[in-house]
């Protein structure tokens, strides 16, 4: 991912270089880390177990009075939590000398942590790293992370249509209300009305975990990336039942359905004398990706309609900047809303919760929460 850089005075940046702290979001599938680091550790080497990204953020607005400087991002599979703990330890991300969030009982170090794993793995962090997890509510963090990105980072939100990304200028005075759709293992849909003002209005259990879980069973893929890669060369029409399959190749124009519209995801598999092994994993992956993305786009639209919201931001690690996923979601929103609502994506899609936890640390240190 690229960095979004907002103009900042030099001396402010060096001020930030002294800051070093970390926040974690431990989800059902992935652990996300966000950390800022001092000069000597700020370069993140490639090739380590984590996927890293660096973001320069400097913002002097009332909402984010602190200068964040350089933020680093990393992710690990939750099932490989020991790799994550080793990473934190090797980067000295929780050494007391550089640590700003020291709790009152002397030198006990605490990491801001969100997601279910903040509860599940609290003892492990204590045992292996000697740190406490300072738990922050997951929904609070998702919203805080999204608001932070939308307000403090240039070129964060974009639309995706016909293979083209287009950055969206966010007017800070006209940001709310919006619908935040976070596609993680499961999906949360949150109506956001302001900083800390939100309601989780819907969700679905058919999300990223479903794509990866079902995809793994059906294709025998060994990793999520492999499954996603397969979808690039797949053809969903081999498995999905299209309107044209039912109507003898013609459109159903009266109700606005073209012959290529999917009438039934995976529906063709029942009408042919084929077994799973007769289908290419590429085609299975593509149909599955399309089914899940379409469904989420449609549910998101219905919730936007319910509350009269025109803007829908999609986040969560399921998206992975994948063109096909974004295209399917965009088309679903556009199709069902008849062009009234628009899907927007976030460059740091997977790190909303971790960023929210990170920001909560900043506001507590400043006493601005
Ligand atoms: P959670 O907090 O529930 O773990 P995330 O936003 O981290 O949610 O998204 C998890 C989803 O991201 C997975 O269900 C999967 O669809 C997708 N994903 C993307 N990259 C990976 C990966 N490397 N390993 C596993 N899942 C991944």
């Amino acid at each position: 991912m690229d960095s979004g850089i907002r103009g900042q005075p030099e001396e402010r940046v060096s001020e930030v270089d002294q800051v070093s702290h970390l926040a974690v979001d431990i989800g059902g599938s992935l652990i996300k880390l966000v950390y800022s680091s001092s000069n000597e550790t700020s370069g993140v080497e490639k090739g380590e177990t984590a996927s890293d990204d660096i973001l320069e953020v400097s913002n002097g607005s009332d909402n984010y009075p602190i200068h964040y400087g350089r933020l680093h991002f990393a992710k690990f599979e939750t099932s490989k939590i020991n790799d994550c703990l080793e990473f934190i330890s090797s980067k000295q991300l929780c050494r007391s000398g550089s640590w700003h969030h020291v709790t009152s009982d002397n030198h006990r170090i605490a990491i801001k942590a969100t997601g279910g794993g903040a509860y599940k793995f609290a003892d492990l962090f204590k045992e292996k790293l000697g740190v406490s997890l300072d738990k922050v509510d997951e929904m609070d963090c998702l919203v805080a992370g999204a608001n932070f990105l939308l307000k403090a980072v240039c070129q964060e939100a974009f639309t995706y249509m016909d293979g083209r990304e287009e950055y969206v200028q966010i007017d800070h005075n006209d940001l709310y209300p919006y619908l935040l759709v976070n596609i993680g293992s499961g999906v949360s849909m949150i109506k956001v009305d302001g900083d800390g003002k939100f309601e989780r209005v819907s969700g679905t259990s058919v999300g990223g975990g479903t794509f990866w879980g079902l995809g793994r069973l059906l294709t025998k893929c060994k990793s999520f990336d492999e499954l996603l890669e397969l979808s690039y060369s797949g053809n969903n029409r081999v498995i999905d039942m299209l309107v044209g399959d039912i109507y003898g190749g013609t459109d159903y124009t009266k109700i606005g359905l073209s012959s290529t519209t999917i009438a039934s995801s995976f529906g063709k598999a029942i009408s042919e004398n084929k077994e799973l092994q007769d289908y290419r994993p590429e085609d299975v992956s593509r149909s599955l990706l399309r089914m899940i993305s379409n469904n989420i786009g449609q549910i998101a639209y219905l919730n936007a309609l319910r509350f009269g919201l025109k803007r829908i931001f999609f986040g969560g690690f399921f998206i992975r900047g994948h063109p096909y996923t974004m295209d399917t979601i965009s088309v679903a929103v556009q199709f069902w809303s008849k062009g009234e609502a628009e899907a927007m994506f976030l460059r740091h899609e997977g790190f909303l919760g971790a960023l929210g936890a990170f920001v909560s640390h900043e506001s507590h240190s400043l006493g601005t929460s």
Side-chain angles (χ1 to χ4, degrees), residues 318-330:
F318 165 71
I319 302 173
R320 288 286 296 271
H322 191 291
Y324 195 63
T325 303
M326 296 193 294
D327 191 66
T328 306
I329 291 174
S330 298

Side-chain angles (χ1 to χ4, degrees), residues 27-30 32 75 77 183-185 208-209 212 224-225 316-318 320:
S29 305
L30 299 171
K32 283 74 61 177
K75 73 166 187 327
E77 286 172 33
I183 317 177
S185 310
W212 179 202
F224 179 88
D225 285 18
F317 246 114
F318 165 71
R320 288 286 296 271

Side-chain angles (χ1 to χ4, degrees), residues 42-319:
S42 62
V44 178
E45 313 91 55
K46 293 290 168 194
E48 52 205 3
T49 43
S51 79
D52 295 289
D53 181 26
I54 299 174
L55 168 71
E56 307 268 357
V57 183
S58 182
N59 175 300
S61 75
D62 290 345
N63 289 311
Y64 301 103
I66 199 162
H67 287 252
Y68 292 92
R70 183 173 277 199
L71 298 186
H72 300 256
F73 300 84
K75 73 166 187 327
F76 296 84
E77 286 172 33
T78 307
S79 58
K80 295 180 184 153
I81 190 161
N82 283 326
D83 291 352
C84 174
L85 296 172
E86 264 173 40
F87 178 82
I88 293 173
S89 175
S90 72
K91 290 272 173 198
Q92 299 192 308
L93 291 173
C94 57
R95 68 186 192 273
S96 55
S98 65
W99 204 252
H100 283 230
H101 190 73
V102 178
T103 51
S104 53
D105 54 344
N106 260 336
H107 296 295
R108 200 159 64 86
I109 301 165
I111 297 175
K112 287 285 180 193
T114 190
Y119 295 85
K120 189 172 170 184
F121 297 113
D123 290 346
L124 191 67
F125 271 76
K126 186 88 215 162
E127 184 195 318
K128 292 268 170 86
L129 297 176
V131 298
S132 306
L133 296 184
D134 190 0
K135 299 167 194 70
V136 204
D137 178 76
E138 189 174 339
M139 295 295 134
D140 284 345
C141 285
L142 280 176
V143 172
N147 284 344
F148 167 75
L149 287 171
L150 290 169
K151 290 184 195 171
V153 182
C154 285
Q155 300 200 322
E156 177 64 32
F158 60 93
T159 55
Y160 191 89
M161 216 21 120
D162 302 325
R164 278 187 42 239
E165 281 184 11
E166 217 162 273
Y167 282 108
V168 180
Q169 288 298 327
I170 302 293
D171 178 354
H172 295 192
N173 299 316
D174 187 29
L175 173 61
Y176 309 111
Y178 67 83
L179 187 71
L180 176 62
V181 179
N182 194 65
I183 317 177
S185 310
V187 185
S188 281
M189 302 198 183
I190 307 166
K191 176 176 173 276
V192 182
D193 289 300
D195 278 326
K197 282 194 222 151
F198 63 87
E199 186 189 351
R200 185 181 189 271
V201 291
S202 193
T204 164
S205 62
V206 182
T210 317
F211 173 66
W212 179 202
L214 211 45
R216 188 174 156 274
L217 291 178
L218 293 173
T219 66
K220 309 270 185 271
C221 273
K222 294 279 180 279
S223 72
F224 179 88
D225 285 18
E226 195 189 331
L227 180 64
L228 206 57
E229 191 60 37
L230 282 180
S231 70
Y232 278 100
S233 45
N235 177 4
N236 70 295
R237 295 178 190 190
V238 176
I239 302 177
D240 291 341
M241 188 188 287
L242 309 183
V243 168
D245 294 324
I246 304 168
Y247 277 76
T250 60
D251 298 338
Y252 183 0
T253 31
K254 196 177 164 200
I255 55 168
L257 297 179
S258 77
S259 63
T260 54
T261 305
I262 298 172
S264 173
S265 291
F266 285 83
K268 227 179 231 173
I270 56 154
S271 59
E272 294 174 348
N273 195 17
K274 283 188 182 173
E275 300 299 326
L276 179 58
Q277 59 271 22
D278 298 321
Y279 291 99
R280 294 191 319 143
E282 289 86 343
D283 300 336
V284 171
S285 171
R286 184 107 171 188
S287 287
L288 198 53
L289 190 59
R290 179 125 192 210
M291 179 178 86
I292 288 166
S293 305
N294 230 337
N295 196 49
I296 293 169
Q298 181 170 9
I299 298 172
Y301 155 72
L302 287 171
N303 279 286
L305 181 72
R306 236 175 113 198
F307 297 100
L309 309 172
K310 297 267 183 273
R311 280 164 299 201
I312 313 175
F313 293 100
F314 288 86
F317 246 114
F318 165 71
I319 302 173

Side-chain angles (χ1 to χ4, degrees), residues 257 294 297-299 301-302 331-339:
L257 297 179
N294 230 337
Q298 181 170 9
I299 298 172
Y301 155 72
L302 287 171
V331 169
V333 169
Q334 197 195 40
F335 177 83
W336 291 110
S337 72
K338 298 195 167 67

